[in-house]
Amino acid sequence: MDKKPRKLAPRTPMPEQPAKERVKNFSEVTTGYTLDMAVAEAARCLQCKKPVCQIGCPVEVPIKAFIGHLQKGDVTAAYKAIRETNSLPAVCGRVCPQEVQCEGACVLAKKGEPVCIGRLERFTADEYAARSACEQLTGDKACPMIREELKVACIGGGPASLTVAGYLSTLGIKVHVYEALHEPGGVLVYGIPEFRLPKAIVKREVQAMTENGVEFHLNWVGGRTITVQDLFDEGCQAVFIGVGAGLPRFLKVPGEDMTGVFSANEYLSRANLGRAYAFPEYDTPPFLGKQVVVVGGGNVAMDAARTAMRMGADKVSLVYRRTKNEMPCRLEELEHALDEGLHLEILTNPVRFAGDENGRVTGVTLERMKLGDPDEAGRCTPNCTGEYFDIPCDLAVIAVGTGPNPLLLEATPGLERNRRGYIEVNEDTGETSMANVFAGGDIVTGAATVILAMGAGRRAAKEIARRLLGDDAPQDVPPLHGGVPAAQD
Amino acid sequence: MPVAILKKRRLIPGQTSELTLDASHIARKARPGNFVILRVSEKGERIPLTIADTDPQAGTITIVYLVVGKSTAELETLEEGDSILDVCGPLGKPTHIESCGTVVCVGGGTGIAAMHHIAKGHKAAGNRVITVIGSRCEDLLLFKEELSMFADEVVVTTNDGSCGMQGFVTDGLRMVLDREPSVGEVVAIGPVPMMEAVANLTRPYNVKTTVSLNSIMIDGIGMCGACRVVVGGEVKFACVDGPEFDGHQVDFARMRQRLSAFKPQEELSWAEFRRLRGQEA
Ligand SMILES: Cc1cc2nc3c(=O)[nH]c(=O)nc-3n(C[C@H](O)[C@H](O)[C@H](O)COP(=O)(O)OP(=O)(O)OC[C@H]3O[C@@H](n4cnc5c(N)ncnc54)[C@H](O)[C@@H]3O)c2cc1C
Ligand SMILES: Cc1cc2nc3c(=O)[nH]c(=O)nc-3n(C[C@H](O)[C@H](O)[C@H](O)COP(=O)(O)OP(=O)(O)OC[C@H]3O[C@@H](n4cnc5c(N)ncnc54)[C@H](O)[C@@H]3O)c2cc1C
Ligand code: SF4
Ligand code: SF4
Ligand code: FES
């Protein structure tokens, strides 16, 4: 018998479109594992006695168990294990910042080679959906019948609300989701680009919920078309608020209202929600720039920059006031963007935009910054140097963070808010200052991550189920561990 | 949920129509000054249109549009019984209506329809309502009868003098302001140059002047910033902070520039639409 310690195989790479090709299209960058690759990657998992990886996941996916099933090639069992706690696995596998969550916690991370948990989760969800399109309909659906008298409303149709809807509907509770836009999914459809998260995947998840009795009311604006009080008057026993943090922040520097200077939300909404990349087949027009400047260092900035490349820009520069190491985006996105030719202008900060006589942006003045001492959160603060330089641009996108979406909050004065304007909730239940009104996701935490929004949705859903179903509610209420929120600036 | 068109009235054939929509959920909440954002079809663009009237009992809202490009042209292809794919609303802050004696409501072109709902609101609040409406010629004049049904006076101006006094709405407004010493507020809705001209006219009279800004919009709920306008030196979002603002504070020059941001694409889009329908430009 070979007594040598088992040597750790390297992480199985995920096949991807070559950078030169993919900057010309909006198809997904990474093309996904095959079954063989997935089984090989799963084999790297040590099936630890204490699966520390799970502590890193805000919704506590039973990582060890699902990877154990994959080691045997049992995709269905793996899928069912994931679905116990995660209602959007195909999404999370693609967009979670795994390096600071599950994979960051995996024992193998110490050697720098954690199991590719996110990729395996994505594979499992995609493979299961492909195999069992009909099995899903005919198979062993253990969901109880919907009891129309148990009624819950969700305002906003992002990941937080979708989690509440998914969870409660499997318990037989009737859920109505009110979404202001014409497509459900929140940031997953209006913000995150097709090449990173195909819209068909979000559609698939929403479709599954519809089949489970969830009713979607699109183009309904909470606070305008319907108020929280209206919902209770119509017989809802609980209301969940998941309206996100979509209010774009600007830099407040001169020239920012010039034509050609966009918030990332507008730029990305045109491309994603409006499919402006397929103009004129689709009517929403894109704004085309050759010399593009994107301000920010989070996922949002990265998405805007890579969208601009795909829309035919000659040069895209990312203006960020700290360095590469402080960028809050997912590591994989930065690597992909650099492969695609993103130009970094680190340690710089815009002070003004210049324009022509028609009010169109023609350039930006940047101030050089230098890193100072770390702040409370451990991130180095950027300091001014008084040195300036100009770069030309005909399109600028501002991605320096967002604030709480105001509409519903203004219309619901009973909701207590914190200093930053976000909704105050009870940490354990997600309940707000109004009885039976719950909230979760970005509208509580400020811009964070998909999985944290889902974690919050799950917590609130459990409490709602407990109140509505009493003894019939599921008893397993494990404590939830927070992941590490990634700020989006 | 698609929204059905219950009634279509061709106000100016091929150019301007009025649609009555089956939308009780919007009708019960809509106030004067609110608007909707709609999308005609699956590949369509989201466009804002003012709610020109509501009938909460019947559960209907009315919109009036001028065909200026692809989306409004596509809307014009729909008939009674057809449906609009998405209609979202009511959006925007309702008009601030207080009792202030005499109010002059000025409307130009399609803006007359939008102004109609606001004028009605002022009347309901007990104000004396004088309306001033204008267009190029009599055939293009909208809502004259509708306004006469409740307004205390309807002043009509046409550029060619074919109806009412010859000139622009500003000429009609000047006449009213010179005659009436106690006008509490002027409300102006119409093309940007018209609203700018009204604001310039009323400034020396020192009358509160409200304009309704039609900036380019996407979501209409404050999430994109496409609609931003500069008012009193501050950036505001027309969809949630407006669309009505103090006309004396609006930077109309920036507003005009921002409205033309997508001109080349809009022209391409409309030309393509006409080509596909076999209509040459
Ligand atoms: C461009 C971009 C890229 C990102 N990339 C990542 C990533 O890679 N990984 C990651 O984990 N996170 C990422 N994030 C962050 C993540 O998407 C959010 O944290 C998450 O979507 C928050 O979910 P939510 O349900 O709280 O709100 P949202 O997803 O914001 O959804 C809120 C929904 O509510 C709707 N709404 C708002 N107001 C109303 C109202 N009054 N009535 C009705 N509906 C309303 C909105 O239209 C929206 O659909 C990204 C964010 C952006 C913008
Ligand atoms: C609050 C508000 C209320 C309005 N009410 C009315 C109304 O009652 N009746 C009416 O006829 N028109 C109204 N408009 C203007 C109407 O939205 C535009 O005419 C319409 O969007 C044009 O679309 P299009 O595709 O037909 O033309 P396009 O060729 O796309 O555009 C023609 C012009 O319309 C403007 N425009 C284009 N896209 C948008 C957009 N997404 N949002 C806003 N403006 C745009 C631009 O100035 C553009 O140059 C309103 C606009 C706003 C903001
Ligand atoms: S953190 Fe995200 S990718 Fe990792 S296990 Fe949890 S849900 Fe899956
Ligand atoms: S910590 Fe890593 S190796 Fe251990 S069970 Fe979790 S994924 Fe497998
Ligand atoms: S239309 Fe998007 S913020 Fe006003």
Side-chain angles (χ1 to χ4, degrees):
Chain A
M1 278 271 287
D2 190 357
K3 285 272 171 171
K4 268 191 286 180
R6 208 167 91 185
K7 194 166 169 294
L8 180 63
R11 281 159 67 91
T12 313
M14 172 89 94
E16 58 188 42
Q17 289 191 65
K20 275 210 178 68
E21 282 304 311
R22 70 181 190 240
V23 289
K24 292 183 228 142
N25 66 50
F26 275 80
S27 307
E28 197 170 11
V29 168
T30 49
T31 48
Y33 278 163
T34 60
L35 180 60
D36 287 347
M37 289 173 185
V39 172
E41 182 56 28
R44 296 178 62 242
C45 168
L46 308 177
Q47 294 288 299
C48 304
K49 264 218 182 62
K50 264 207 234 138
V52 282
C53 48
Q54 280 164 222
I55 299 172
C57 172
V59 296
E60 303 184 302
V61 166
I63 297 170
K64 175 182 168 182
F66 102 76
I67 296 183
H69 292 305
L70 280 185
Q71 289 178 335
K72 294 181 225 114
D74 189 345
V75 175
T76 306
Y79 180 77
K80 290 195 171 142
I82 298 173
R83 280 306 293 249
E84 280 173 27
T85 71
N86 185 336
S87 41
L88 303 168
V91 174
C92 294
R94 287 172 165 86
V95 306
C96 272
Q98 286 95 6
E99 66 272 17
V100 295
Q101 292 181 337
C102 51
E103 294 181 16
C106 168
V107 288
L108 300 180
K110 292 189 199 82
K111 300 198 174 78
E113 298 274 335
V115 175
C116 298
I117 302 168
R119 292 172 184 172
L120 289 176
E121 189 169 318
R122 164 183 167 170
F123 165 81
T124 306
D126 289 356
E127 180 71 12
Y128 181 79
R131 280 189 198 180
S132 58
C134 58
E135 195 182 305
Q136 259 177 323
L137 291 178
T138 56
D140 46 22
K141 263 228 264 0
C143 305
M145 293 278 289
I146 295 289
R147 290 156 59 184
E148 300 281 342
E149 77 280 8
L150 298 176
K151 209 159 114 180
V152 172
C154 296
I155 305 181
S161 286
L162 291 180
T163 303
V164 172
Y167 185 92
L168 294 180
S169 63
T170 57
L171 298 177
I173 294 171
K174 179 79 192 176
V175 184
H176 293 268
V177 178
Y178 296 90
E179 165 58 51
L181 296 175
H182 60 256
E183 273 183 61
V187 168
L188 307 182
V189 301
Y190 82 74
I192 303 180
E194 181 75 15
F195 56 82
R196 205 146 75 73
L197 176 64
K199 301 297 155 266
I201 288 171
V202 182
K203 265 216 169 97
R204 189 172 80 201
E205 305 287 4
V206 167
Q207 184 55 33
M209 286 182 203
T210 313
E211 280 158 18
N212 240 349
V214 176
E215 226 167 286
F216 286 89
H217 304 262
L218 304 177
N219 305 304
W220 282 62
V221 184
R224 290 286 159 93
T225 323
I226 198 152
T227 64
V228 171
Q229 190 54 49
D230 293 337
L231 290 166
F232 284 114
D233 293 347
E234 285 176 12
C236 288
Q237 282 111 318
V239 173
F240 177 83
I241 299 174
V243 293
L247 178 75
R249 288 231 173 84
F250 287 93
L251 297 162
K252 298 203 156 62
V253 301
E256 204 174 13
D257 60 326
M258 214 99 64
T259 307
V261 183
F262 289 83
S263 76
N265 268 6
E266 177 179 359
Y267 188 68
L268 290 170
S269 294
R270 284 185 179 279
N272 298 315
L273 187 67
R275 318 284 194 270
Y277 58 82
F279 179 86
E281 184 197 344
Y282 284 80
D283 293 343
T284 304
F287 193 93
L288 303 174
K290 286 293 174 197
Q291 306 274 328
V292 182
V293 163
V294 177
V295 184
N299 286 321
V300 186
M302 229 42 83
D303 285 343
R306 297 172 71 199
T307 298
M309 291 180 194
R310 283 162 176 75
M311 304 263 234
D314 291 335
K315 182 179 180 188
V316 179
S317 306
L318 190 85
V319 167
Y320 183 58
R321 25 181 214 157
R322 299 185 173 90
T323 73
K324 223 162 101 176
N325 302 330
E326 285 83 23
M327 285 186 187
C329 62
R330 288 179 85 217
L331 193 60
E332 187 179 291
E333 306 315 325
L334 178 61
E335 285 168 358
H336 279 152
L338 292 172
D339 287 348
E340 290 164 12
L342 177 68
H343 174 77
L344 296 185
E345 285 288 359
I346 52 159
L347 290 171
T348 60
N349 201 31
V351 292
R352 95 177 63 84
F353 292 93
D356 63 14
E357 68 283 3
N358 295 318
R360 286 192 168 240
V361 68
T362 54
V364 56
T365 303
L366 303 175
E367 175 170 14
R368 285 201 199 286
M369 308 298 279
K370 61 172 191 283
L371 282 191
D373 296 331
D375 61 12
E376 291 151 32
R379 282 207 307 178
C380 294
T381 27
N383 293 325
C384 301
T385 62
E387 258 178 73
Y388 302 93
F389 66 107
D390 294 335
I391 57 175
C393 69
D394 53 3
L395 165 60
V397 183
I398 314 293
V400 295
T402 50
N405 228 333
L407 265 192
L408 182 83
L409 303 186
E410 277 170 17
T412 322
L415 282 175
E416 249 166 58
R417 299 200 246 164
N418 64 21
R419 238 176 346 105
R420 297 158 62 219
Y422 296 97
I423 301 179
E424 201 70 76
V425 297
N426 174 323
E427 298 252 331
D428 297 324
T429 60
E431 192 169 25
T432 66
S433 55
M434 291 168 71
N436 295 316
V437 177
F438 298 77
D442 284 2
I443 191 59
V444 170
T445 56
T449 61
V450 171
I451 196 66
L452 284 175
M454 292 175 61
R458 192 172 154 73
R459 200 165 357 184
K462 279 184 175 169
E463 177 63 20
I464 295 172
R466 200 183 60 74
R467 292 192 193 176
L468 265 60
L469 300 174
D471 292 342
D472 293 344
Q475 295 303 310
D476 64 329
V477 188
L480 274 148
H481 309 270
V484 185
Q488 292 289 325
D489 64 348
Chain B
M1 267 275 286
V3 163
I5 299 172
L6 299 178
K7 197 167 137 219
K8 176 168 183 171
R9 233 174 16 124
R10 288 185 166 74
L11 302 176
I12 305 168
Q15 277 191 41
T16 300
S17 294
E18 176 193 84
L19 304 179
T20 304
L21 307 178
D22 182 12
S24 57
H25 60 297
I26 301 176
R28 72 178 171 198
K29 297 280 183 177
R31 299 284 170 273
N34 284 148
F35 62 95
V36 292
I37 285 196
L38 56 80
R39 207 168 60 119
V40 179
S41 60
E42 199 51 51
K43 296 182 176 177
E45 184 181 7
R46 297 169 64 90
I47 61 162
L49 293 173
T50 305
I51 299 173
D53 206 356
T54 58
D55 185 341
Q57 262 76 50
T60 60
I61 62 168
T62 303
I63 53 174
V64 177
Y65 56 88
L66 174 68
V67 176
V68 293
K70 158 83 195 265
S71 305
T72 41
E74 193 179 9
L75 186 58
E76 179 62 10
T77 63
L78 301 183
E79 298 298 336
E80 278 176 20
D82 290 341
S83 288
I84 300 175
L85 184 60
D86 298 299
V87 182
C88 176
L91 299 168
K93 284 207 176 13
T95 308
H96 181 74
I97 294 179
E98 53 187 33
S99 86
C100 58
T102 303
V103 178
V104 186
C105 296
V106 187
T110 322
I112 301 172
M115 178 269 275
H116 168 257
H117 201 201
I118 296 172
K120 234 171 132 177
H122 274 290
K123 188 68 206 171
N127 289 322
R128 179 161 162 259
V129 175
I130 301 176
T131 59
V132 180
I133 59 176
S135 67
R136 262 183 299 139
C137 59
E138 181 168 24
D139 298 345
L140 301 179
L141 209 52
L142 301 175
F143 275 65
K144 189 162 155 261
E145 277 73 50
E146 286 84 347
L147 289 169
S148 333
M149 278 159 61
F150 65 84
D152 295 280
E153 186 182 346
V154 181
V155 176
V156 176
T157 66
T158 48
N159 300 7
D160 64 356
S162 52
C163 183
M165 65 188 273
Q166 184 184 356
F168 298 102
V169 281
T170 37
D171 297 317
L173 176 61
R174 184 180 300 113
M175 180 200 73
V176 174
L177 289 175
D178 287 338
R179 189 189 74 194
E180 306 270 338
S182 64
V183 172
E185 182 178 355
V186 171
V187 180
I189 308 186
V192 174
M194 181 215 105
M195 292 190 287
E196 186 173 8
V198 167
N200 287 339
L201 171 69
T202 58
R203 200 171 275 120
Y205 289 88
N206 222 347
V207 187
K208 176 179 172 197
T209 300
T210 304
V211 295
S212 179
L213 300 185
N214 55 339
S215 43
I216 292 181
M217 296 188 175
I218 298 181
D219 55 285
I221 57 169
M223 285 185 357
C224 74
C227 62
R228 57 196 201 276
V229 290
V230 180
V231 182
E234 260 185 77
V235 173
K236 301 273 181 193
F237 287 6
C239 69
V240 287
D241 301 326
E244 287 167 22
F245 293 99
D246 176 354
H248 294 151
Q249 302 283 325
V250 172
D251 184 341
F252 285 105
R254 294 294 306 121
M255 164 102 203
R256 270 201 305 271
Q257 288 171 336
R258 287 187 61 85
L259 273 177
S260 60
F262 295 93
K263 264 270 136 40
Q265 287 97 323
E266 286 158 1
E267 277 162 15
L268 176 78
S269 199
W270 198 10
E272 184 70 9
F273 178 77
R274 280 180 301 208
R275 193 181 61 76
L276 288 174
R277 296 182 62 87
Q279 303 168 305
E280 280 315 315

